[in-house]
Amino acid sequence: MTSRTIFAAVGFAMLAAGPATAIQHVVTLNGVVSGEAADQRYEFAGDFLQTHYGLTTGTGSPLSYLPPLERAVAEARSPNSGRTRGFHGTNNATGRPVADGGTGVVAALTNAPSLPRTAGQGTLTNEVSRAWVDDQAIGFILSRTGNTVTYSTVNGVSGQPDDVWSITAASIAEINAFQFRIRSAGQNMVSLSDVKLVQGTTTTNLGCSAPGTCGVGLTGAFSASAGDLHISLFDRLSGNFTLSGNWIFDLSPTRAGNNAQIKLLSVPVLGPPAVPEPASWAMLIAGFGLVGATLRRRRTVLA
């Protein structure tokens, strides 16, 4: 075996063992600390998004770093009556990403109306309001395939079709992170439970073991109660994916003001590459083993 063949073997092993992108839990913030609510500690000037991702621009007053990162937002909330849910994408009012021919997102996507539904019961309006049942689990599926994101929620009434929204844009391919943002009103509790992320043949549980203690491989619900706000951020998202789970709203004693969102984001890529999976390590080690055996054989022949 020539030296060129040797290095080709190593190169193949290293290529095959290339870093396996794995979803990473970055931060969970709850409630109020030192007079700052979780959203203030997360996205205002000088706080988490700026210090962790090195963001240098912002919008609003005080400066907020989140809108430029937003690509789509799935939402469920409870006004004084009914249950409103919708799916928000970028438009002229929010500003469009550069990938879509714009100059960047400048306003939160939920400041603009929801996208029109593509399927569901009744007239296909933008946002839709359904009868709300206290503590009822409403299933959702949020998925990306190529440049298309689709969001669907269970109607809540037996025999009626799911509500579905969809958006296709070049900027959808830029999504590499998502954030759960949950806000409760009064003494209510709002939660996101049974959350699973599917990427290819890999299914990953996402959840919490206690308030503020959340991450990959946990199964407890993401939740906010008694007027608190909960934020959990995951990054290193790549390729096609499906995120599923259940929205659950406690509507007693106050139903208005409860809100839950999943924000699909494009955040700066940073940090070391993900560690190769065990199978990839095995292939890499086998490649080096092949090189070692070849070198020993050559020494024997020369002797």
Side-chain angles (χ1 to χ4, degrees):
M1 181 179 286
T2 66
S3 60
R4 179 178 298 178
T5 306
I6 292 172
F7 286 109
V10 175
F12 173 76
M14 293 182 72
L15 180 64
T21 302
I23 195 73
Q24 170 182 268
H25 173 246
V26 185
V27 65
T28 292
L29 298 174
N30 277 75
V32 177
V33 176
S34 300
E36 285 193 314
D39 55 352
Q40 293 174 306
R41 289 179 284 127
Y42 177 73
E43 66 183 58
F44 287 176
D47 286 295
F48 177 80
L49 281 177
Q50 183 182 40
T51 56
H52 185 78
Y53 289 109
L55 300 176
T56 57
T57 60
T59 61
S61 179
L63 292 181
S64 168
Y65 292 90
L66 190 58
L69 309 180
E70 293 187 357
R71 295 296 178 267
V73 180
E75 183 175 36
R77 55 193 177 88
S78 62
N80 287 321
S81 62
R83 174 184 62 246
T84 302
R85 46 246 178 96
F87 189 48
H88 304 263
T90 62
N91 57 29
N92 291 337
T94 65
R96 298 185 185 277
V98 173
D100 299 335
T103 58
V105 180
V106 296
L109 304 192
T110 49
N111 289 344
S114 168
L115 297 166
R117 284 183 298 153
T118 56
Q121 180 72 16
T123 304
L124 297 182
T125 53
N126 297 37
E127 284 190 331
V128 60
S129 184
R130 303 294 185 199
W132 191 277
V133 178
D134 193 24
D135 294 327
Q136 179 186 23
I138 299 295
F140 74 86
I141 298 174
L142 181 59
S143 63
R144 173 174 65 188
T145 303
N147 287 347
T148 299
V149 171
T150 302
Y151 173 53
S152 64
T153 63
V154 172
N155 180 292
V157 177
S158 178
Q160 293 192 0
D162 295 351
D163 294 305
V164 183
W165 296 260
S166 184
I167 182 174
T168 298
S171 63
I172 295 302
E174 298 176 345
I175 294 168
N176 61 3
F178 56 84
Q179 172 204 283
F180 302 136
R181 177 183 289 246
I182 304 171
R183 186 185 297 276
S184 69
Q187 298 304 308
N188 301 78
M189 175 177 285
V190 181
S191 63
L192 180 56
S193 66
D194 302 315
V195 181
K196 298 184 184 300
L197 175 69
V198 177
Q199 295 174 286
T201 59
T202 302
T203 299
T204 304
N205 291 318
L206 307 177
C208 305
S209 59
T213 306
C214 307
V216 175
L218 302 176
T219 57
F222 301 90
S223 63
S225 60
D228 278 348
L229 177 73
H230 174 107
I231 291 174
S232 283
L233 174 68
F234 294 81
D235 68 8
R236 296 187 183 176
L237 182 67
S238 66
N240 296 339
F241 67 86
T242 298
L243 188 67
S244 63
N246 293 306
W247 302 117
I248 302 177
F249 281 44
D250 169 24
L251 302 178
S252 176
T254 303
R255 62 180 301 125
N258 298 293
N259 182 277
Q261 301 171 346
I262 301 175
K263 293 179 178 283
L264 299 180
L265 309 173
S266 175
V267 300
V269 177
L270 49 78
V275 176
E277 295 177 348
S280 299
W281 275 118
M283 187 171 294
L284 181 60
I285 293 169
F288 282 114
L290 177 62
V291 172
T294 302
L295 291 175
R296 286 195 299 273
R297 187 179 301 114
R298 290 180 64 187
R299 284 198 298 271
T300 301
V301 171
L302 291 174

PDB file of all heavy atoms in Angstrom, residues 76-110:
ATOM      1  N   ALA A  76     -49.977  29.538  20.234  1.00  0.00           N
ATOM      2  CA  ALA A  76     -51.296  29.208  20.802  1.00  0.00           C
ATOM      3  C   ALA A  76     -51.511  30.148  21.978  1.00  0.00           C
ATOM      4  O   ALA A  76     -50.607  30.388  22.771  1.00  0.00           O
ATOM      5  CB  ALA A  76     -51.356  27.761  21.270  1.00  0.00           C
ATOM      6  N   ARG A  77     -52.735  30.704  22.100  1.00  0.00           N
ATOM      7  CA  ARG A  77     -53.001  31.614  23.220  1.00  0.00           C
ATOM      8  C   ARG A  77     -54.476  31.579  23.571  1.00  0.00           C
ATOM      9  O   ARG A  77     -55.309  31.108  22.794  1.00  0.00           O
ATOM     10  CB  ARG A  77     -52.565  33.038  22.889  1.00  0.00           C
ATOM     11  CG  ARG A  77     -53.150  33.633  21.644  1.00  0.00           C
ATOM     12  CD  ARG A  77     -52.429  34.915  21.235  1.00  0.00           C
ATOM     13  NE  ARG A  77     -52.923  35.475  19.994  1.00  0.00           N
ATOM     14  CZ  ARG A  77     -53.938  36.322  19.880  1.00  0.00           C
ATOM     15  NH1 ARG A  77     -54.577  36.719  20.976  1.00  0.00           N
ATOM     16  NH2 ARG A  77     -54.321  36.787  18.718  1.00  0.00           N
ATOM     17  N   SER A  78     -54.783  32.098  24.752  1.00  0.00           N
ATOM     18  CA  SER A  78     -56.170  32.086  25.214  1.00  0.00           C
ATOM     19  C   SER A  78     -56.628  33.497  25.515  1.00  0.00           C
ATOM     20  O   SER A  78     -56.269  34.066  26.546  1.00  0.00           O
ATOM     21  CB  SER A  78     -56.315  31.202  26.464  1.00  0.00           C
ATOM     22  OG  SER A  78     -55.535  31.702  27.526  1.00  0.00           O
ATOM     23  N   PRO A  79     -57.396  34.098  24.628  1.00  0.00           N
ATOM     24  CA  PRO A  79     -58.029  35.388  24.940  1.00  0.00           C
ATOM     25  C   PRO A  79     -59.217  35.163  25.875  1.00  0.00           C
ATOM     26  O   PRO A  79     -59.337  34.100  26.488  1.00  0.00           O
ATOM     27  CB  PRO A  79     -58.466  35.891  23.567  1.00  0.00           C
ATOM     28  CG  PRO A  79     -58.684  34.648  22.772  1.00  0.00           C
ATOM     29  CD  PRO A  79     -57.704  33.638  23.275  1.00  0.00           C
ATOM     30  N   ASN A  80     -60.117  36.143  25.974  1.00  0.00           N
ATOM     31  CA  ASN A  80     -61.235  36.026  26.910  1.00  0.00           C
ATOM     32  C   ASN A  80     -62.188  34.895  26.561  1.00  0.00           C
ATOM     33  O   ASN A  80     -62.901  34.384  27.419  1.00  0.00           O
ATOM     34  CB  ASN A  80     -62.008  37.345  26.968  1.00  0.00           C
ATOM     35  CG  ASN A  80     -61.235  38.420  27.712  1.00  0.00           C
ATOM     36  OD1 ASN A  80     -60.591  38.125  28.721  1.00  0.00           O
ATOM     37  ND2 ASN A  80     -61.258  39.646  27.220  1.00  0.00           N
ATOM     38  N   SER A  81     -62.204  34.500  25.298  1.00  0.00           N
ATOM     39  CA  SER A  81     -63.046  33.373  24.908  1.00  0.00           C
ATOM     40  C   SER A  81     -62.329  32.612  23.805  1.00  0.00           C
ATOM     41  O   SER A  81     -61.538  33.166  23.049  1.00  0.00           O
ATOM     42  CB  SER A  81     -64.414  33.847  24.402  1.00  0.00           C
ATOM     43  OG  SER A  81     -64.269  34.643  23.247  1.00  0.00           O
ATOM     44  N   GLY A  82     -62.594  31.318  23.717  1.00  0.00           N
ATOM     45  CA  GLY A  82     -62.000  30.511  22.661  1.00  0.00           C
ATOM     46  C   GLY A  82     -60.531  30.225  22.899  1.00  0.00           C
ATOM     47  O   GLY A  82     -59.961  30.479  23.957  1.00  0.00           O
ATOM     48  N   ARG A  83     -59.941  29.628  21.894  1.00  0.00           N
ATOM     49  CA  ARG A  83     -58.517  29.317  21.919  1.00  0.00           C
ATOM     50  C   ARG A  83     -57.973  29.740  20.568  1.00  0.00           C
ATOM     51  O   ARG A  83     -58.371  29.215  19.522  1.00  0.00           O
ATOM     52  CB  ARG A  83     -58.301  27.817  22.146  1.00  0.00           C
ATOM     53  CG  ARG A  83     -56.847  27.385  22.046  1.00  0.00           C
ATOM     54  CD  ARG A  83     -56.696  25.870  22.192  1.00  0.00           C
ATOM     55  NE  ARG A  83     -57.380  25.148  21.145  1.00  0.00           N
ATOM     56  CZ  ARG A  83     -58.436  24.355  21.335  1.00  0.00           C
ATOM     57  NH1 ARG A  83     -58.933  24.236  22.556  1.00  0.00           N
ATOM     58  NH2 ARG A  83     -58.996  23.714  20.341  1.00  0.00           N
ATOM     59  N   THR A  84     -57.083  30.677  20.524  1.00  0.00           N
ATOM     60  CA  THR A  84     -56.560  31.187  19.272  1.00  0.00           C
ATOM     61  C   THR A  84     -55.221  30.531  18.987  1.00  0.00           C
ATOM     62  O   THR A  84     -54.370  30.434  19.866  1.00  0.00           O
ATOM     63  CB  THR A  84     -56.383  32.715  19.338  1.00  0.00           C
ATOM     64  OG1 THR A  84     -57.642  33.305  19.651  1.00  0.00           O
ATOM     65  CG2 THR A  84     -55.892  33.262  18.017  1.00  0.00           C
ATOM     66  N   ARG A  85     -55.034  30.100  17.750  1.00  0.00           N
ATOM     67  CA  ARG A  85     -53.718  29.607  17.348  1.00  0.00           C
ATOM     68  C   ARG A  85     -53.438  30.009  15.923  1.00  0.00           C
ATOM     69  O   ARG A  85     -54.348  30.196  15.120  1.00  0.00           O
ATOM     70  CB  ARG A  85     -53.597  28.086  17.499  1.00  0.00           C
ATOM     71  CG  ARG A  85     -54.775  27.286  16.948  1.00  0.00           C
ATOM     72  CD  ARG A  85     -55.460  26.609  18.087  1.00  0.00           C
ATOM     73  NE  ARG A  85     -56.631  25.830  17.784  1.00  0.00           N
ATOM     74  CZ  ARG A  85     -56.634  24.532  17.582  1.00  0.00           C
ATOM     75  NH1 ARG A  85     -55.500  23.882  17.506  1.00  0.00           N
ATOM     76  NH2 ARG A  85     -57.755  23.895  17.447  1.00  0.00           N
ATOM     77  N   GLY A  86     -52.188  30.163  15.612  1.00  0.00           N
ATOM     78  CA  GLY A  86     -51.803  30.574  14.277  1.00  0.00           C
ATOM     79  C   GLY A  86     -50.332  30.319  14.042  1.00  0.00           C
ATOM     80  O   GLY A  86     -49.604  29.850  14.922  1.00  0.00           O
ATOM     81  N   PHE A  87     -49.885  30.642  12.827  1.00  0.00           N
ATOM     82  CA  PHE A  87     -48.502  30.431  12.433  1.00  0.00           C
ATOM     83  C   PHE A  87     -48.033  31.680  11.695  1.00  0.00           C
ATOM     84  O   PHE A  87     -48.683  32.128  10.747  1.00  0.00           O
ATOM     85  CB  PHE A  87     -48.415  29.200  11.531  1.00  0.00           C
ATOM     86  CG  PHE A  87     -47.010  28.750  11.229  1.00  0.00           C
ATOM     87  CD1 PHE A  87     -46.073  28.614  12.239  1.00  0.00           C
ATOM     88  CD2 PHE A  87     -46.634  28.431   9.933  1.00  0.00           C
ATOM     89  CE1 PHE A  87     -44.788  28.189  11.968  1.00  0.00           C
ATOM     90  CE2 PHE A  87     -45.354  27.994   9.647  1.00  0.00           C
ATOM     91  CZ  PHE A  87     -44.427  27.869  10.663  1.00  0.00           C
ATOM     92  N   HIS A  88     -46.932  32.252  12.142  1.00  0.00           N
ATOM     93  CA  HIS A  88     -46.479  33.544  11.635  1.00  0.00           C
ATOM     94  C   HIS A  88     -45.173  33.393  10.866  1.00  0.00           C
ATOM     95  O   HIS A  88     -44.234  32.736  11.334  1.00  0.00           O
ATOM     96  CB  HIS A  88     -46.264  34.519  12.792  1.00  0.00           C
ATOM     97  CG  HIS A  88     -47.470  34.703  13.653  1.00  0.00           C
ATOM     98  ND1 HIS A  88     -48.353  35.758  13.494  1.00  0.00           N
ATOM     99  CD2 HIS A  88     -47.960  33.958  14.684  1.00  0.00           C
ATOM    100  CE1 HIS A  88     -49.329  35.662  14.389  1.00  0.00           C
ATOM    101  NE2 HIS A  88     -49.109  34.575  15.120  1.00  0.00           N
ATOM    102  N   GLY A  89     -45.109  34.027   9.693  1.00  0.00           N
ATOM    103  CA  GLY A  89     -43.882  34.082   8.914  1.00  0.00           C
ATOM    104  C   GLY A  89     -43.492  35.526   8.668  1.00  0.00           C
ATOM    105  O   GLY A  89     -44.196  36.458   9.056  1.00  0.00           O
ATOM    106  N   THR A  90     -42.358  35.729   8.040  1.00  0.00           N
ATOM    107  CA  THR A  90     -41.919  37.086   7.740  1.00  0.00           C
ATOM    108  C   THR A  90     -42.754  37.678   6.601  1.00  0.00           C
ATOM    109  O   THR A  90     -43.276  36.956   5.754  1.00  0.00           O
ATOM    110  CB  THR A  90     -40.437  37.109   7.328  1.00  0.00           C
ATOM    111  OG1 THR A  90     -40.272  36.340   6.139  1.00  0.00           O
ATOM    112  CG2 THR A  90     -39.571  36.524   8.424  1.00  0.00           C
ATOM    113  N   ASN A  91     -42.907  38.995   6.610  1.00  0.00           N
ATOM    114  CA  ASN A  91     -43.611  39.692   5.525  1.00  0.00           C
ATOM    115  C   ASN A  91     -43.049  41.113   5.422  1.00  0.00           C
ATOM    116  O   ASN A  91     -42.074  41.459   6.090  1.00  0.00           O
ATOM    117  CB  ASN A  91     -45.130  39.691   5.767  1.00  0.00           C
ATOM    118  CG  ASN A  91     -45.504  40.308   7.099  1.00  0.00           C
ATOM    119  OD1 ASN A  91     -44.804  41.188   7.616  1.00  0.00           O
ATOM    120  ND2 ASN A  91     -46.609  39.858   7.676  1.00  0.00           N
ATOM    121  N   ASN A  92     -43.679  41.930   4.596  1.00  0.00           N
ATOM    122  CA  ASN A  92     -43.162  43.291   4.396  1.00  0.00           C
ATOM    123  C   ASN A  92     -43.194  44.115   5.679  1.00  0.00           C
ATOM    124  O   ASN A  92     -42.353  44.989   5.893  1.00  0.00           O
ATOM    125  CB  ASN A  92     -43.954  43.996   3.293  1.00  0.00           C
ATOM    126  CG  ASN A  92     -43.689  43.404   1.927  1.00  0.00           C
ATOM    127  OD1 ASN A  92     -42.646  42.779   1.699  1.00  0.00           O
ATOM    128  ND2 ASN A  92     -44.630  43.563   1.000  1.00  0.00           N
ATOM    129  N   ALA A  93     -44.204  43.845   6.540  1.00  0.00           N
ATOM    130  CA  ALA A  93     -44.333  44.613   7.782  1.00  0.00           C
ATOM    131  C   ALA A  93     -43.230  44.267   8.779  1.00  0.00           C
ATOM    132  O   ALA A  93     -42.745  45.135   9.514  1.00  0.00           O
ATOM    133  CB  ALA A  93     -45.703  44.373   8.405  1.00  0.00           C
ATOM    134  N   THR A  94     -42.819  42.999   8.840  1.00  0.00           N
ATOM    135  CA  THR A  94     -41.779  42.580   9.790  1.00  0.00           C
ATOM    136  C   THR A  94     -40.382  42.735   9.208  1.00  0.00           C
ATOM    137  O   THR A  94     -39.396  42.734   9.942  1.00  0.00           O
ATOM    138  CB  THR A  94     -41.959  41.105  10.183  1.00  0.00           C
ATOM    139  OG1 THR A  94     -41.761  40.274   9.027  1.00  0.00           O
ATOM    140  CG2 THR A  94     -43.340  40.861  10.755  1.00  0.00           C
ATOM    141  N   GLY A  95     -40.316  42.879   7.882  1.00  0.00           N
ATOM    142  CA  GLY A  95     -39.032  42.826   7.200  1.00  0.00           C
ATOM    143  C   GLY A  95     -38.735  41.395   6.809  1.00  0.00           C
ATOM    144  O   GLY A  95     -39.097  40.456   7.529  1.00  0.00           O
ATOM    145  N   ARG A  96     -38.113  41.235   5.658  1.00  0.00           N
ATOM    146  CA  ARG A  96     -37.825  39.883   5.164  1.00  0.00           C
ATOM    147  C   ARG A  96     -36.331  39.582   5.250  1.00  0.00           C
ATOM    148  O   ARG A  96     -35.494  40.475   5.091  1.00  0.00           O
ATOM    149  CB  ARG A  96     -38.300  39.733   3.717  1.00  0.00           C
ATOM    150  CG  ARG A  96     -39.803  39.902   3.556  1.00  0.00           C
ATOM    151  CD  ARG A  96     -40.246  39.620   2.120  1.00  0.00           C
ATOM    152  NE  ARG A  96     -41.662  39.897   1.929  1.00  0.00           N
ATOM    153  CZ  ARG A  96     -42.646  39.060   2.227  1.00  0.00           C
ATOM    154  NH1 ARG A  96     -42.345  37.865   2.723  1.00  0.00           N
ATOM    155  NH2 ARG A  96     -43.904  39.398   2.027  1.00  0.00           N
ATOM    156  N   PRO A  97     -35.985  38.317   5.500  1.00  0.00           N
ATOM    157  CA  PRO A  97     -34.565  37.944   5.537  1.00  0.00           C
ATOM    158  C   PRO A  97     -33.876  38.218   4.206  1.00  0.00           C
ATOM    159  O   PRO A  97     -34.521  38.239   3.149  1.00  0.00           O
ATOM    160  CB  PRO A  97     -34.615  36.429   5.829  1.00  0.00           C
ATOM    161  CG  PRO A  97     -35.953  36.202   6.448  1.00  0.00           C
ATOM    162  CD  PRO A  97     -36.872  37.182   5.806  1.00  0.00           C
ATOM    163  N   VAL A  98     -32.580  38.389   4.259  1.00  0.00           N
ATOM    164  CA  VAL A  98     -31.800  38.651   3.049  1.00  0.00           C
ATOM    165  C   VAL A  98     -31.962  37.506   2.057  1.00  0.00           C
ATOM    166  O   VAL A  98     -32.032  37.724   0.835  1.00  0.00           O
ATOM    167  CB  VAL A  98     -30.310  38.855   3.414  1.00  0.00           C
ATOM    168  CG1 VAL A  98     -29.455  38.959   2.160  1.00  0.00           C
ATOM    169  CG2 VAL A  98     -30.152  40.097   4.283  1.00  0.00           C
ATOM    170  N   ALA A  99     -32.040  36.280   2.544  1.00  0.00           N
ATOM    171  CA  ALA A  99     -32.189  35.120   1.670  1.00  0.00           C
ATOM    172  C   ALA A  99     -33.461  35.173   0.840  1.00  0.00           C
ATOM    173  O   ALA A  99     -33.552  34.553  -0.223  1.00  0.00           O
ATOM    174  CB  ALA A  99     -32.164  33.824   2.490  1.00  0.00           C
ATOM    175  N   ASP A 100     -34.464  35.934   1.319  1.00  0.00           N
ATOM    176  CA  ASP A 100     -35.734  36.065   0.598  1.00  0.00           C
ATOM    177  C   ASP A 100     -35.808  37.368  -0.184  1.00  0.00           C
ATOM    178  O   ASP A 100     -36.894  37.791  -0.604  1.00  0.00           O
ATOM    179  CB  ASP A 100     -36.902  35.979   1.588  1.00  0.00           C
ATOM    180  CG  ASP A 100     -36.947  34.646   2.319  1.00  0.00           C
ATOM    181  OD1 ASP A 100     -36.427  33.661   1.774  1.00  0.00           O
ATOM    182  OD2 ASP A 100     -37.485  34.605   3.441  1.00  0.00           O
ATOM    183  N   GLY A 101     -34.678  38.038  -0.333  1.00  0.00           N
ATOM    184  CA  GLY A 101     -34.657  39.276  -1.098  1.00  0.00           C
ATOM    185  C   GLY A 101     -34.884  40.531  -0.283  1.00  0.00           C
ATOM    186  O   GLY A 101     -35.008  41.621  -0.844  1.00  0.00           O
ATOM    187  N   GLY A 102     -34.945  40.417   1.045  1.00  0.00           N
ATOM    188  CA  GLY A 102     -35.161  41.579   1.904  1.00  0.00           C
ATOM    189  C   GLY A 102     -33.858  42.107   2.473  1.00  0.00           C
ATOM    190  O   GLY A 102     -32.769  41.695   2.073  1.00  0.00           O
ATOM    191  N   THR A 103     -33.995  42.990   3.440  1.00  0.00           N
ATOM    192  CA  THR A 103     -32.823  43.573   4.091  1.00  0.00           C
ATOM    193  C   THR A 103     -32.690  43.137   5.540  1.00  0.00           C
ATOM    194  O   THR A 103     -31.844  43.637   6.273  1.00  0.00           O
ATOM    195  CB  THR A 103     -32.892  45.107   4.029  1.00  0.00           C
ATOM    196  OG1 THR A 103     -34.104  45.550   4.650  1.00  0.00           O
ATOM    197  CG2 THR A 103     -32.842  45.591   2.584  1.00  0.00           C
ATOM    198  N   GLY A 104     -33.555  42.209   5.969  1.00  0.00           N
ATOM    199  CA  GLY A 104     -33.481  41.689   7.322  1.00  0.00           C
ATOM    200  C   GLY A 104     -34.780  41.860   8.081  1.00  0.00           C
ATOM    201  O   GLY A 104     -35.601  42.719   7.758  1.00  0.00           O
ATOM    202  N   VAL A 105     -34.983  41.024   9.092  1.00  0.00           N
ATOM    203  CA  VAL A 105     -36.177  41.076   9.936  1.00  0.00           C
ATOM    204  C   VAL A 105     -35.971  42.141  11.003  1.00  0.00           C
ATOM    205  O   VAL A 105     -34.928  42.169  11.671  1.00  0.00           O
ATOM    206  CB  VAL A 105     -36.445  39.706  10.588  1.00  0.00           C
ATOM    207  CG1 VAL A 105     -37.692  39.762  11.462  1.00  0.00           C
ATOM    208  CG2 VAL A 105     -36.593  38.631   9.520  1.00  0.00           C
ATOM    209  N   VAL A 106     -36.948  43.025  11.188  1.00  0.00           N
ATOM    210  CA  VAL A 106     -36.798  44.126  12.137  1.00  0.00           C
ATOM    211  C   VAL A 106     -37.877  44.146  13.214  1.00  0.00           C
ATOM    212  O   VAL A 106     -37.783  44.912  14.166  1.00  0.00           O
ATOM    213  CB  VAL A 106     -36.795  45.486  11.402  1.00  0.00           C
ATOM    214  CG1 VAL A 106     -35.597  45.590  10.473  1.00  0.00           C
ATOM    215  CG2 VAL A 106     -38.092  45.697  10.625  1.00  0.00           C
ATOM    216  N   ALA A 107     -38.911  43.308  13.067  1.00  0.00           N
ATOM    217  CA  ALA A 107     -40.002  43.300  14.053  1.00  0.00           C
ATOM    218  C   ALA A 107     -40.424  41.862  14.334  1.00  0.00           C
ATOM    219  O   ALA A 107     -40.328  40.992  13.472  1.00  0.00           O
ATOM    220  CB  ALA A 107     -41.200  44.094  13.539  1.00  0.00           C
ATOM    221  N   ALA A 108     -40.864  41.622  15.579  1.00  0.00           N
ATOM    222  CA  ALA A 108     -41.324  40.288  15.956  1.00  0.00           C
ATOM    223  C   ALA A 108     -42.432  39.824  15.020  1.00  0.00           C
ATOM    224  O   ALA A 108     -43.331  40.593  14.671  1.00  0.00           O
ATOM    225  CB  ALA A 108     -41.820  40.301  17.396  1.00  0.00           C
ATOM    226  N   LEU A 109     -42.379  38.573  14.604  1.00  0.00           N
ATOM    227  CA  LEU A 109     -43.338  38.065  13.624  1.00  0.00           C
ATOM    228  C   LEU A 109     -44.769  38.043  14.157  1.00  0.00           C
ATOM    229  O   LEU A 109     -45.725  38.158  13.389  1.00  0.00           O
ATOM    230  CB  LEU A 109     -42.936  36.664  13.160  1.00  0.00           C
ATOM    231  CG  LEU A 109     -41.517  36.518  12.578  1.00  0.00           C
ATOM    232  CD1 LEU A 109     -41.377  35.155  11.896  1.00  0.00           C
ATOM    233  CD2 LEU A 109     -41.191  37.634  11.602  1.00  0.00           C
ATOM    234  N   THR A 110     -44.922  37.903  15.468  1.00  0.00           N
ATOM    235  CA  THR A 110     -46.270  37.884  16.032  1.00  0.00           C
ATOM    236  C   THR A 110     -46.904  39.268  16.056  1.00  0.00           C
ATOM    237  O   THR A 110     -48.069  39.409  16.424  1.00  0.00           O
ATOM    238  CB  THR A 110     -46.255  37.301  17.455  1.00  0.00           C
ATOM    239  OG1 THR A 110     -45.234  37.944  18.223  1.00  0.00           O
ATOM    240  CG2 THR A 110     -45.970  35.806  17.412  1.00  0.00           C
TER     241      THR A 110
END
